[in-house]
Amino acid sequence: MAKAASSRSTKSESGSKTGKSEPLIPNRERPDEPGRYKASKDELVQFYRQMLLIRRFEEKAGQLYGLGLIGGFCHLYIGQEAVAVGIQSGLDGDRDSVITGYRDHGHMLAYGLDPKVIMAELTGRDAGISKGKGGSMHMFSTEKKFYGGHGIVGAQVPLGTGLAFGHKYNEDGGVCVAYFGDGASNQGQVYEAFNMAELWKLPIIFVIENNQYAMGTSVNRSAAEDQLFRRGESFRIPGIQVDGMDVLAARGATETALEWVRSGKGPIILEMKTYRYRGHSMSDPAKYRSREEVQSVRDKSDPIEHVKRELADAGVAEDEMKAIEKEIRKIVNEAADYAETAPEPEPEELYTDVLVGKY
Ligand SMILES: Cc1ncc(C[n+]2csc(CCOP(=O)(O)OP(=O)(O)O)c2C)c(N)n1
Ligand SMILES: [Mg+2]
């Protein structure tokens, strides 16, 4: 089931005699190999809508950035849509919590947050989800149990482990999903968190969004063990490698992971093999990969084209898909108009929701 998103070869693949998600250490209880989720037609349509919304929203954000309407950093999620949509669709919004890094717009949209308040956050408006003070990297909604949006690479992993501790301590039945990147997976704090999470059997799913690159370094140039699902082995945390370009594989793996974690067996790692089409942030000379490589992933593995094929197989007509496309464009255009015209925060907002030290 674990299909690599790009055609690159990896260090361990060539010499490996094992299946992709097979552990290095045998005789330990392991989750079953997940299957692809069997979605109903309505669910498939919903996945398509959400993935398309993320794609069009991010394209629009890129345009607004180019027009100077968005300040600071802005990291787009284009190419990775199946990961957030597949995973979020399996969560229980009333009890599960989510935390991620700075590439966070897609996760918020997949969570069903209003595109207008996300776009308004990007343009720094009072109506933005963080009152315009967080911007692209610091989206936050305690109401939705969405705990950011973090600019420090890897920091969300120990923070998420703390959220999972909270779920266990409060016995609220919730699971935390902590998303982080392939680059972040080389940070020391990740492993301190892994140790504690397994030791205390915390309810957390560590999702490594392996989009093949950190800022400009490919995973196989920077990782001694580039099969990232194995990174928990020495902490006894099982890992599963998943085709992150296939929303049904993402959802299927989420079901397996939730079953493992909710039954009290402790944390699990999902390595989602995916790909980022755009630059790391808005200014990226992209000298670390060829245009052909990007084009080849778009042609062969695009997650939205993938779900469109599933829709066609389920009997959804081309016209219906076009109508959805039109509707999504309208939602995104309205969000952009709103974000351009909504008022900026009052100067007094500088002093609210911030930690002010006394000297
Ligand atoms: C502690 C820390 N070190 C370095 C940076 C600069 N930085 C920002 S993003 C990034 C790359 C992270 O790549 P990855 O974890 O693969 O996530 P992706 O951007 O691919 O989603 C780096 C090095 C930072 N923000 N924080
Ligand atoms: Mg990356």
Side-chain angles (χ1 to χ4, degrees):
M1 61 142 306
K3 187 167 79 68
S6 83
S7 56
R8 79 191 173 90
S9 67
T10 61
K11 290 179 188 123
S12 2
E13 267 166 4
S14 51
S16 171
K17 292 192 192 75
T18 64
K20 277 246 171 128
S21 297
E22 214 166 296
L24 295 175
I25 303 165
N27 304 328
R28 255 188 215 160
E29 192 192 353
R30 303 246 330 142
D32 293 336
E33 195 65 27
R36 293 180 81 225
Y37 181 69
K38 290 187 180 48
S40 67
K41 192 168 153 183
D42 286 352
E43 283 177 312
L44 267 181
V45 169
Q46 178 67 357
F47 292 157
Y48 175 59
R49 286 188 95 261
Q50 286 186 304
M51 287 164 66
L52 200 59
L53 174 63
I54 297 174
R55 175 82 47 108
R56 298 288 171 257
F57 180 100
E58 293 291 62
E59 287 166 356
K60 181 62 83 179
Q63 285 167 12
L64 297 190
Y65 196 95
L67 292 170
L69 288 158
I70 297 174
F73 287 102
C74 185
H75 307 82
L76 305 179
Y77 198 61
I78 298 177
Q80 300 179 219
E81 298 90 347
V83 178
V85 170
I87 292 176
Q88 305 289 101
S89 69
L91 303 184
D92 177 347
D94 289 332
R95 52 180 177 159
D96 298 332
S97 58
V98 171
I99 190 163
T100 185
Y102 41 81
R103 200 179 295 286
D104 58 355
H105 322 158
H107 300 84
M108 293 221 104
L109 291 167
Y111 225 137
L113 282 143
D114 184 352
K116 281 186 179 158
V117 299
I118 308 175
M119 200 67 99
E121 187 57 42
L122 293 178
T123 54
R125 306 302 161 124
D126 192 48
I129 194 132
S130 303
K131 290 194 187 160
K133 296 188 290 185
S136 166
M137 302 202 288
H138 302 109
M139 306 269 174
F140 214 92
S141 168
T142 42
E143 203 182 294
K144 289 271 183 186
K145 298 190 175 52
F146 187 95
Y147 292 93
H150 292 272
I152 306 298
V153 168
Q156 69 272 32
V157 181
L159 291 173
T161 304
L163 289 169
F165 184 86
H167 287 306
K168 184 158 181 160
Y169 186 78
N170 295 321
E171 298 178 353
D172 62 11
V175 167
C176 175
V177 177
Y179 293 89
F180 56 106
D182 45 283
S185 73
N186 289 329
Q187 292 288 79
Q189 58 181 321
V190 169
Y191 298 92
E192 296 182 38
F194 278 6
N195 185 47
M196 282 187 256
E198 178 62 31
L199 191 63
W200 296 330
K201 299 278 183 214
L202 299 182
I204 182 161
I205 304 176
F206 295 111
V207 178
I208 307 179
E209 293 201 61
N210 181 359
N211 61 9
Q212 323 284 338
Y213 295 94
M215 283 175 73
T217 313
S218 71
V219 66
N220 38 3
R221 276 179 60 214
S222 58
E225 172 53 276
D226 64 359
Q227 299 298 294
L228 303 179
F229 71 94
R230 291 192 177 133
R231 290 293 187 89
E233 284 296 331
S234 60
F235 302 93
R236 299 177 170 262
I237 303 176
I240 300 171
Q241 193 174 55
V242 186
D243 180 358
M245 304 300 259
D246 174 2
V247 69
L248 299 180
R251 174 63 186 269
T254 306
E255 299 284 320
T256 303
L258 282 170
E259 203 183 307
W260 178 268
V261 176
R262 287 209 208 280
S263 66
K265 290 179 179 155
I268 192 168
I269 294 170
L270 295 181
E271 179 197 356
M272 313 300 294
K273 298 276 301 246
T274 181
Y275 198 79
R276 117 172 113 64
Y277 291 180
R278 294 288 187 92
H280 164 73
S281 183
M282 298 311 291
S283 55
D284 179 347
K287 288 190 175 146
Y288 50 87
R289 64 181 180 185
S290 65
R291 279 166 191 256
E292 290 72 31
E293 179 187 302
V294 183
Q295 196 53 46
S296 155
V297 179
R298 274 182 182 273
D299 293 344
K300 292 184 196 139
S301 318
D302 185 76
I304 294 179
E305 291 304 317
H306 194 309
V307 86
K308 276 173 91 171
R309 285 194 296 275
E310 297 282 343
L311 283 170
D313 289 348
V316 177
E318 186 86 5
D319 281 356
E320 208 179 316
M321 290 190 234
K322 287 216 170 96
I324 295 172
E325 169 97 42
K326 210 171 147 195
E327 186 197 333
I328 296 292
R329 277 191 192 280
K330 189 164 173 270
I331 293 171
V332 169
N333 286 336
E334 281 170 8
D337 291 345
Y338 179 76
E340 282 177 49
T341 51
E344 291 184 348
E346 296 296 330
E348 294 79 64
E349 277 295 345
L350 278 172
Y351 301 99
T352 65
D353 306 320
V354 289
L355 198 61
V356 182
K358 284 194 180 147
Y359 299 99

